[in-house]
Amino acid sequence: MTTLESILRALRGAGDQGVAGTQVSSALGISRTAIWSHIQELRQLGYDIEATSHRGYRLLRVPDSLLGEDLMSQLPQERLIGRSITIYRETASTNLLVDQRAMHGESEGWVVFAESQTRGRGRLGRSWVSPAGKGLWFSVLLRPPLRPPEMTQLTVISATALSRAIRQVTGLQPEIKWPNDILIQGKKVAGVLTEMSAETDRVSHAALGIGINVNLEASDFPSELQPVATSLQIEKGEPIHRSTLAVALLKALDEDYARICKGSFQEVAREWADQCITLGKRVRIHQLDHSYLGVAESIDPEGALMIRTEHGELERVTGGDVTLEKEP
Ligand code: BT5
């Protein structure tokens, strides 16, 4: 744990009571002058920290910018996802950064956020709009104990964790559209891009990329997306604190990833099914070169969508796009 993270943990732990400089300095084994210079550093970053002789240091307000140490200071000490967190001001794509670091042996659970992405990626070569300071654009490095055909499980747990965290922090009611869309009132508010590097039978690492439109305004979306995309701020009618949401989401992801690592995917799948708007609906499945109609019946133990086609056959869908069809 870095000193900055420990100081933030102490400040948050003390809450309104405040914490004495001497107490922090003896707990961390560093001088009061060193603590003071870290407090100054935090103030420069926009943290409002009161310093008085009778109450010591008190955290009054935190900025909306992302700081790795601050996110880590709010996560449980025992965790896999978010063991280490890096924030970039700008990058091409956070999934790309995960790939590069994974090749150099970075440990599982590393998380990288970017305040903006210049080449944010969607699935199937599509792009993801990621303007500066308005969303949560991040990726997690995982080394999952899954075989390549089971990788849809990762998308399913991410959508479930995302939906839970959004509900907890904003009170909004998100819906999940298989496999990777989070919608509010029918408009897309977040998406998941799971990319893996696999050998024949084993996934060597995965980049789990998540994009959430937090405080975008309608004018932040290109005109063609305005009818189909939304943000939490637009839906809630007020800005949402990004780091509060980031912490809730990292906790939720850590819980759900632990569940699949111990083979309890079905538990997450049940929670997923409760919020999924795709199940029970007439859908059109779009594959690379063709599309067909059917009814979405269930997800199977590997996370694939089971479709009853018009001809009565059961098809297993692991990729491509699904659109909801009007009932005949
Ligand atoms: C996704 O793809 O929904 C996956 C999005 C994953 C983004 C994250 S951000 C962090 C990490 N790093 C990356 O480079 N990517 C991940 P897909 O289902 O293919 O949806 C892409 C389509 O959604 C685009 O073709 C647009 O139509 C639309 N779209 C693009 N940006 C959007 C936005 N910000 N909000 C809503 N819709 C958007």
Side-chain angles (χ1 to χ4, degrees), residues 301-315:
E302 292 183 338
L305 188 65
M306 303 306 292
I307 300 292
R308 183 71 62 185
T309 69
E310 291 181 300
H311 311 294
E313 287 139 12
L314 205 54
E315 288 274 339

Side-chain angles (χ1 to χ4, degrees), residues 50-283:
E50 179 192 74
T52 57
S53 51
H54 69 290
R55 263 207 291 230
Y57 295 120
R58 229 162 41 114
L59 183 59
L60 300 180
R61 206 184 57 82
V62 297
D64 191 46
S65 51
L66 299 172
L67 179 68
E69 284 85 352
D70 196 16
L71 296 178
M72 288 190 279
S73 78
Q74 295 170 75
L75 294 173
Q77 300 211 25
E78 288 293 315
R79 63 185 187 267
L80 175 70
I81 292 181
R83 266 212 281 235
S84 154
I85 301 179
T86 307
I87 316 281
Y88 277 72
R89 204 172 56 78
E90 182 174 285
T91 191
S93 154
T94 53
N95 266 33
L96 214 60
L97 291 174
V98 161
D99 247 10
Q100 289 161 357
R101 284 264 192 127
M103 307 290 187
H104 290 96
E106 179 66 66
S107 345
E108 185 177 40
W110 180 60
V111 177
V112 57
F113 287 81
E115 289 285 8
S116 81
Q117 297 185 115
T118 51
R119 270 179 289 131
R121 304 206 292 230
R123 294 176 310 137
L124 312 167
R126 296 187 285 231
S127 61
W128 185 258
V129 174
S130 329
K134 303 241 173 165
L136 289 174
W137 328 122
F138 72 100
S139 303
V140 185
L141 165 56
L142 296 173
R143 300 188 188 278
L146 300 174
R147 291 175 299 111
E150 295 168 326
M151 284 296 285
T152 315
Q153 289 189 13
L154 273 189
T155 309
V156 169
I157 65 148
S158 308
T160 313
L162 244 167
S163 162
R164 188 154 83 245
I166 291 176
R167 234 177 316 127
Q168 267 170 12
V169 172
T170 66
L172 294 165
Q173 293 299 326
E175 294 173 324
I176 300 174
K177 179 167 148 298
W178 190 92
N180 71 325
D181 287 355
I182 302 291
L183 311 179
I184 296 183
Q185 310 278 12
K187 291 182 167 187
K188 184 155 170 169
V189 74
V192 180
L193 171 68
T194 316
E195 292 177 303
M196 64 170 165
S197 164
E199 288 144 33
T200 21
D201 204 23
R202 201 180 66 93
V203 174
S204 55
H205 74 260
L208 175 63
I210 295 183
I212 315 174
N213 302 328
V214 184
N215 291 327
L216 286 84
E217 290 167 37
S219 57
D220 291 316
F221 295 104
S223 53
E224 71 277 13
L225 286 187
Q226 287 177 9
V228 290
T230 190
S231 75
L232 297 176
Q233 170 171 306
I234 294 171
E235 296 303 321
K236 182 77 183 169
E238 61 188 48
I240 306 296
H241 198 258
R242 286 183 308 149
S243 63
T244 307
L245 179 62
V247 167
L249 178 52
L250 292 174
K251 282 184 188 162
L253 274 175
D254 197 46
E255 287 158 15
D256 286 356
Y257 185 60
R259 293 205 266 181
I260 55 170
C261 289
K262 60 174 210 280
S264 307
F265 172 67
Q266 284 309 319
E267 273 176 32
V268 191
R270 272 194 290 278
E271 191 179 330
W272 176 90
D274 283 347
Q275 296 164 58
C276 180
I277 52 165
T278 315
L279 291 185
K281 297 270 169 52
R282 251 168 72 80
V283 292

